[in-house]
Amino acid sequence: MMNQRTSKAIKVLSVTLMLALSSSYSYSASNINTISINHLAWSQLPATVQKYYQTSSTLNKLKLNNKDIVAISSWVDATGTNYLVQLQRLDYAATFDSPAGEVISHLYNVDQATRRVWQIYDYVPCDLDVIARYTKETAVVTDINNNGVAEVSVPYYIGCRGDVSYDEMEIIMYEGKQKFAIRGNSAICDSKTGLPVDKTGYYGGDYKIDEQLLQRAALSASQKTVFREHLKSGWRDNQCSIYFKYDD
């Protein structure tokens, strides 16, 4: 669970929520062509995966409903056939002590027998305006080290707003069961430039790569540098959770 940061209000004449703009170096453009991604409907999921989202199933520990699903994708790599299921739940009537927003991602491998490879789960307690959502790119699937095993990056925002303020942000990335992460605060950005209002961190935009996870990975020094830059480019592409403009 992520601790709620103190909101930093800014005085603006009008606030415009917009989709995040791409940076000059595109995060999603780094997708490797040999990994073909399919975007699926619920009915296209294998029955063995659907069981995890049927409330009558003993596999459904969180009592998730298929109506909570926001994205389903699949691909084939060196590990076999994979399905990524992403969900979010919002409870606007929740008290501050209960989960008001949740983001959940599950990766399944269905070769031989269906198994859940990993889970991303995060939530926020809130009794104001709850934020628990993925960025416009719910997930980015790549093979940046060309080893045939896909990296799956999941960027999302978590927050509890009572004013115009930034949110907490994370990008969790897996290659197989190896986890990587970059964490910090989303940025409040200028609607004209698509860039953070400033670079001091007062309006968000600050981040930190989890170096302990990166250093534990079975990667060469040069590959760690590539992974580090990949996480940074993902942050730049998704950092703006709010855009605003001053009235002229």
Side-chain angles (χ1 to χ4, degrees), residues 53-91:
Y53 307 101
Q54 295 167 348
T55 54
S56 59
S57 172
T58 57
L59 296 174
N60 194 345
K61 306 300 182 183
L62 290 174
K63 298 303 177 186
L64 298 167
N65 193 302
N66 61 12
K67 293 181 181 179
D68 301 322
I69 294 174
V70 297
I72 301 171
S73 52
S74 71
W75 63 90
V76 177
D77 65 6
T79 68
T81 304
N82 300 280
Y83 290 88
L84 178 66
V85 181
Q86 296 181 268
L87 311 91
Q88 65 185 40
R89 294 197 295 193
L90 297 175
D91 181 2

Side-chain angles (χ1 to χ4, degrees), residues 201-229:
Y202 184 81
Y203 295 116
D206 54 309
Y207 64 82
K208 185 176 182 180
I209 293 174
D210 192 323
E211 287 290 340
Q212 288 188 342
L213 291 176
L214 186 61
Q215 294 306 320
R216 285 203 297 264
L219 299 170
S220 67
S222 60
Q223 287 177 328
K224 288 176 182 178
T225 298
V226 171
F227 274 54
R228 188 180 290 110
E229 290 306 311

Side-chain angles (χ1 to χ4, degrees), residues 143-159:
D143 185 12
I144 56 178
N145 56 351
N146 294 305
N147 66 350
V149 179
E151 304 95 21
V152 185
S153 301
V154 178
Y156 62 88
Y157 309 119
I158 289 285

Side-chain angles (χ1 to χ4, degrees), residues 12-16 189-192 243-248:
V12 296
L13 298 179
S14 63
V15 179
T16 304
C189 295
D190 189 319
S191 63
K192 291 183 179 180
Y243 289 79
F244 77 94
K245 63 180 180 179
Y246 289 96
D247 288 343
D248 295 329

Side-chain angles (χ1 to χ4, degrees), residues 183-196:
R183 303 180 178 93
N185 296 299
S186 66
I188 297 176
C189 295
D190 189 319
S191 63
K192 291 183 179 180
T193 65
L195 299 174

